[in-house]
Amino acid sequence: MGKANNPVNNSKPREKVSALHVIMILIGANLMLLLAPEFGLLNSLLYIPDLYVWPATVGGFAMVVFGFRGFFKKA
């Protein structure tokens, strides 16, 4: 009886997740949740002027976008 052929391993290489990008996503999401104008958790408890709220929300959104851009890296 002949030997059976071994199946060829065609799996894709693993992808690494960058810890810096994970932290960037978490910080950006927290900025947006806490300081969103009219809906933010801190804005519902305290009065924070729009001078601080809008740049923090835009900065949080930018951090989330740039965090997801480099989230996965090929191993």
Side-chain angles (χ1 to χ4, degrees):
M1 211 188 245
K3 290 185 176 180
N5 292 334
N6 288 337
V8 179
N9 190 2
N10 289 334
S11 65
K12 295 180 183 177
R14 289 182 63 184
E15 294 182 350
K16 290 184 179 179
V17 175
S18 173
L20 176 69
H21 289 93
V22 170
I23 292 171
M24 189 181 297
I25 292 168
L26 290 174
I27 291 173
N30 280 331
L31 278 174
M32 289 190 321
L33 280 173
L34 291 174
L35 295 173
E38 304 286 329
F39 301 107
L41 296 174
L42 279 180
N43 275 342
S44 65
L45 298 175
L46 306 169
Y47 172 73
I48 302 174
D50 286 343
L51 177 68
Y52 302 113
V53 171
W54 281 106
T57 304
V58 170
F61 184 73
M63 288 178 77
V64 169
V65 168
F66 287 120
F68 275 119
R69 279 184 79 191
F71 189 63
F72 291 113
K73 293 183 180 181
K74 299 287 182 186

